Amino acid sequence: MAESLSSTLSSAVQIIGKLVIEEVKFLQGVSERVRLLHDDLKGIQRFLRYADTKQTARDSIQQWVPEFRAVAYEAIDLVEDYVLRVSISSNGGCCTLKRIACMATEGYARHNLGVEIQSLRNRISNLTKNFGEYGHVMTRTEEGESSAPSRLQQLRRTRSSVADKDVVELPDDVQVLVKYLLNEVAEHKISVASIFGMGGIGKTTLARKVYHHGRLKDYFEGFAWVCVSQQWQPNDLLQGILLKLTPEQSNQIMTSKQDGLERLLQHHLQDNKCLIVLDDLWSTEAWDCLKDVIPVSEDGSKILLTTRNEDVAAYVGPNGYHHKLRCLTEEESWELLRKKSLWESNGCEDLGKMEELGKKMLNNCRGLPLALVVLGGILRTKKTLKEWKEVHENIKSYLARGEKIGKEGEVPKILAYSYYDLPWQLKPCFLYLGKFREDSDIRAESLYQMWMGEGMIFENDRREQETMMDVAERYLKELAIRCMVEIKAYEEGKHAVTKLESCRLHDLMRDLCLDKAKEENLYKLVDRSPSQDSPPTTEAQFGLVLRLLPEDISQYKFPPKEQTKHLCSFLCDPLAGKGQLPIPGVRIMSQVKNLKMLRVLAMLSFNMASQSCYLKSPLGYVSKLIHLRCLRLRGQSINLPYSLGNLKYLETLDLSGSDNSCRIPNVLWKLERFRYLYLPNWWLGPQHKWGPQPKLQLSKQLEILESFDNRFCYPKDVCKLSNLRSFKANVYKNLEDLERIINHISNLDCLRISSLIIRSCNFGKTNSNNSNDSNGSLDVLSRVLFSRNIHELEIRNSLCKKLPDYQSQTVPHPAGLTQLSLSYSGIEEDPMATLEKLPKLRILELGPKSFLGQEMSCHSMGFPQLKDLVLFGLGNLMQWKVDEGAMPKLSGLRIEVCTTLEMIPDGLRCLTTLEEVSLAGMPEEFNNRVRIENGQQGEDYDKISHVPSVKIYRRVKGVIGYQVETVCPSNPV
């Protein structure tokens, strides 16, 4: 229970330590007391790290953990609240009399802070008296002691094993590993093979099948299997290996010391080719102990290891073969469940219905072999349909606890090994993932900001050139390396502020998150309406997630103030229901105002308009949440108060997904710690009713700025943003604004992603004397198209008769553009002559009236990186020529409503990478050219016969949308 508390205390120590340094002028008169409180918290932190290594110490403090957490949050609350209030009064620009009154108020507040700190220190002192013999640790134990060993040692006294007969045969996995161990993969000879994956996925079982494979018996002269586990001793490992390799020397092995065992093993392996299996390897230290005495080579002895940690596998065999195990498919899962449950032998007349129930229960196992074996074992004892129904209705409980009363289930116990092995920093980060919806892709960028808002990302983990989001990404990657979460990276060539796009949890891992979060009282998930007879909870709450139907959210009542006074995060994410969305947010916000310690607030799909007064907004309460770090609001009628400028600690304001009914006061520039700003979609929805949106000045510390719009923000402020990592903007009509922005953006070295939407700019305009001024405007367009730092570009309703020419030798850096969309631009000369020279362009869409000409050509060597091409609404296009060697990486082509196009270009037959061709809204005579009718191929059929997927989308009278027709190529790839 103390694992996540250690992180909470570390956060408190970090925050208060920074305040002592950065806000020293506001802490005059109380700084020494704050330092003493800081030292007390560090003492508790040291003790908890020590206690996690000693079971008796853990047991002695278990009951005090909630009180410790409360003390940590109250300490942050006290000091931050005081610093904020003093800073506001000091910067208020008071006249002399008012300043005297402010000084008196500050003196009173200073006195109160001193009293409150002393009260907290007394509580800490009284709590630590309960530590008994371990109290001395608070003053002398070093930080960084691992919390994992004692818990893992306790858990691993019993270890799960799954019999070979209980598993599904995966011959490909076995054969691949056997081939590598036999040196039959000529291009990649190895000395180490590893099997890695999440707990319960079948690593040991697969290793056992390889270990006993007949072909290896003829290749290796000796075999040894040793289970390393978390608790290992060098002598035990060496003895275990030697007893398998040389059982005749058992007396000598059992009496030898470590150096003697090492000599024996080295000597034996020098003369014999052996296979050694290191099962369940958790750390690199165990291998460091063995690597000098196990001489492995491509043609000699070899290692096969199993681990949950991909980094461990890479460390042991940097040039080896690493085999990641996957979860079973639905068919494989059913085969295993059927084999384990043996329900066919029941001779039951309800066999068909039982099969149907069994297949439904597969969803709860999500292809995890351990869960399937456990479920099969339970079903094996059930002989009737009624009993199977009972298991189906309570499937989560059966998987979590099995059938025995008071016992922990096998599935969560095995998965929990990975949790207890985590560094203390990562434990709360992992548990936090349980807050998100089941089976959902969790957006990495938002997750990092919420982690930071909760104080879970630590400054002392930051490397020289890293941002705090980079640190958070390393945390998530570490969880993935340990096979606890699944991550999705952005596709190759895609620019983004983070390398990872999203992550998701296996359902059983999510269940583990929720169980441990409940055990440690980290947060409460309310995903069903409480019944009338539900017993009221009495424990303090530190996080709350509401995931209810709209009508239930409207009626939800927060727990009493005593239970929510330490609430640090509130996420309200309504389920889709019959009620209209967004949900009225007045009532829920009137309760949020009392959550004074909130650091993260996320309200999704709400209408924040007041029902009583259109000028009044329920978000007026937000300014009272002075500890807020991360504010996410999505919905309509979001009217943020002017007092938003008092949120001194705010780092993230996320209004993405909201519409033009939002109003934001011009106070963001006041926020000194503000880093991440996601503005609403100004082009979506009705105008707000709060009056005109004031132009926003921007905080110069911004690292992410999305949905910038030159109508509502000052373009000159962009020039002050020297730390921008992500910039996404709309520029409307004004070429001067565009030029100012592009000049700054193009020179930023730290920028990772920029995206521009340009609307209604005339790049072929005339000057005030009606003479042609196209050279100047074309120069701006060329700097946009060819900038190294513009990655995604959309140009709408912006006239340009001709695209500027791209001369790679005349620009200092290659053009960075990867995605381009043009529409209503009125280009008269073939745009491909310019666009095909862009070295990184991957996605191109030529939309309605973007090109007005009749002929278009793609030349050899053009578009070297293009993967997707869309031609849409080019009403004048008649001929399209594609030379051999053009677009060598094209995989997707869509031609839509190009009604005068005469034929498919001959050059498509040369595009072997093409995977999909879609023809939509094209004339029937064009479609007939790619069809087979009455056994006769159309004129263009052979040009696309090599493409795996060719589809025709055509309009049918009386039917909304397109009707899809699949063209079957004669030689599908």
Side-chain angles (χ1 to χ4, degrees), residues 2 12 18 94 103 193 216 250 252 300 336 382 428 488 505 625 686 717 748 763 771 792 875 941:
K18 285 183 71 174
C94 303
M103 291 172 64
L216 296 185
S250 59
Q252 182 182 358
L336 176 56
K382 311 300 180 186
K488 178 184 177 183
L505 283 175
L625 310 177
D717 283 359
L748 280 179
F763 292 107
S771 60
E792 298 173 2
Y941 180 84

Side-chain angles (χ1 to χ4, degrees), residues 79-131:
V79 180
E80 282 191 349
D81 183 81
Y82 173 80
V83 168
L84 180 62
R85 297 192 188 285
V86 172
S87 67
I88 291 173
S89 66
S90 299
N91 296 328
C94 303
C95 64
T96 304
L97 290 177
K98 286 186 177 180
R99 182 60 196 140
I100 292 171
C102 288
M103 291 172 64
T105 302
E106 289 168 19
Y108 181 72
R110 191 178 303 116
H111 170 76
N112 278 355
L113 178 64
V115 171
E116 294 285 353
I117 287 177
Q118 190 56 50
S119 175
L120 266 184
R121 295 193 68 216
N122 290 341
R123 281 169 62 189
I124 292 172
S125 177
N126 290 334
L127 282 169
T128 54
K129 288 177 183 176
N130 297 299
F131 294 169

Side-chain angles (χ1 to χ4, degrees), residues 782-796:
S782 67
R783 279 148 62 196
V784 171
L785 286 171
F786 309 146
S787 168
R788 62 168 177 150
N789 277 345
I790 301 297
H791 307 117
E792 298 173 2
L793 178 62
E794 184 175 343
I795 302 179
R796 302 181 186 175

Side-chain angles (χ1 to χ4, degrees), residues 871-908:
L871 306 178
F872 173 41
L874 304 181
N876 296 338
L877 181 64
M878 298 176 67
Q879 295 183 2
W880 175 30
K881 180 183 177 184
V882 176
D883 292 345
E884 184 175 350
M887 303 183 289
K889 296 185 179 180
L890 192 71
S891 61
L893 169 64
R894 184 177 180 89
I895 303 174
E896 183 170 1
V897 198
C898 295
T899 53
T900 60
L901 186 62
E902 296 174 353
M903 67 177 71
I904 294 284
D906 288 331
L908 288 196

Side-chain angles (χ1 to χ4, degrees), residues 874-875 877 895-904 919-931 933 940 952-955 962 965:
L874 304 181
L877 181 64
I895 303 174
E896 183 170 1
V897 198
C898 295
T899 53
T900 60
L901 186 62
E902 296 174 353
M903 67 177 71
I904 294 284
L919 307 175
M922 297 296 287
E924 276 302 287
E925 53 268 29
F926 186 91
N927 294 335
N928 288 335
R929 297 180 67 90
V930 300
R931 289 188 174 114
E933 292 187 323
D940 293 342
I952 295 173
Y953 298 80
R954 57 193 181 90
R955 300 282 186 189
Y962 287 120
E965 172 190 342

Side-chain angles (χ1 to χ4, degrees), residues 656-726:
S656 58
S658 300
D659 61 22
N660 198 30
S661 62
C662 294
R663 185 179 187 276
I664 308 164
N666 183 24
V667 294
L668 301 180
W669 59 273
K670 296 181 179 180
L671 306 177
E672 296 176 0
R673 304 189 186 207
F674 199 40
R675 297 288 184 274
Y676 317 111
L677 175 59
Y678 304 82
L679 293 166
N681 185 342
W682 303 104
W683 294 87
L684 182 67
Q687 290 281 342
H688 54 72
K689 56 189 176 184
W690 318 107
Q693 166 65 47
K695 270 208 169 186
L696 300 176
Q697 294 173 270
L698 301 174
S699 172
K700 63 183 180 181
Q701 292 85 15
L702 283 177
E703 295 176 13
I704 294 177
L705 174 57
E706 294 196 4
S707 293
F708 171 95
D709 192 304
N710 66 322
R711 296 171 302 163
F712 305 113
C713 305
Y714 290 101
K716 64 179 181 181
D717 283 359
V718 174
C719 302
K720 302 174 185 176
L721 306 180
S722 58
N723 297 316
L724 266 185
R725 265 70 176 174
S726 175

Side-chain angles (χ1 to χ4, degrees), residues 535-594:
T537 57
T538 57
E539 69 274 7
Q541 295 179 6
F542 299 95
L544 180 62
V545 181
L546 289 189
R547 189 164 292 118
L548 300 169
L549 292 171
E551 55 269 25
D552 292 327
I553 284 183
S554 299
Q555 300 302 316
Y556 182 78
K557 290 185 179 180
F558 275 71
K561 186 176 180 180
E562 193 60 30
Q563 291 174 234
T564 58
K565 66 179 182 180
H566 297 123
L567 202 70
C568 289
S569 68
F570 176 51
L571 168 60
C572 193
D573 183 13
L575 298 171
K578 294 181 180 179
Q580 289 187 340
L581 291 177
I583 307 163
V586 176
R587 186 177 179 279
I588 200 81
M589 279 305 302
S590 67
Q591 300 184 76
V592 169
K593 69 178 180 180
N594 297 317

Side-chain angles (χ1 to χ4, degrees), residues 63 207 361 403 501 511 579 671 699 824 864 874 884 892 953 963:
Q63 60 181 311
M361 286 186 270
E403 292 191 277
E501 181 178 1
D511 291 341
L671 306 177
S699 172
Y824 300 101
L874 304 181
E884 184 175 350
Y953 298 80
Q963 186 179 70

